[in-house]
Amino acid sequence: FLHLDRTASAARVEGNVITGGDTGIAVHGARSALVRRNLVSGTSEDGVVVRNSATVDVAGNEITGAGGEAVAVGVDAILR
């Protein structure tokens, strides 16, 4: 599980392999972030979650076997 919170600005989550757990990558309240080229598999909930965040790029990730959504985005998030 990899988590970016409101203190994250211009954060990069790139090239990680995440297997199992509840959620693979969670971005909550980050000012800006890049989530790219990660492999997320076998999560019991969502592969990538973005909430309460501005300007988050999510691209080129491989997400398999997520129990929920591959990428879940809250209404209060801005994706590019």
Side-chain angles (χ1 to χ4, degrees):
F1 174 70
L2 197 145
H3 182 252
L4 297 177
D5 66 15
R6 61 184 175 82
T7 61
S9 179
R12 295 180 76 124
V13 178
E14 190 168 12
N16 297 286
V17 176
I18 300 169
T19 305
D22 293 335
T23 299
I25 300 169
V27 181
H28 293 162
R31 285 175 267 176
S32 63
L34 172 64
V35 179
R36 180 172 63 186
R37 294 188 201 129
N38 297 287
L39 172 60
V40 179
S41 63
T43 57
S44 62
E45 296 177 12
D46 303 319
V48 176
V49 175
V50 180
R51 292 200 172 94
N52 298 320
S53 299
T55 317
V56 177
D57 290 316
V58 178
N61 298 287
E62 183 177 337
I63 301 165
T64 60
E69 300 293 327
V71 178
V73 180
V75 296
D76 47 4
I78 299 170
L79 289 185
R80 287 195 298 173

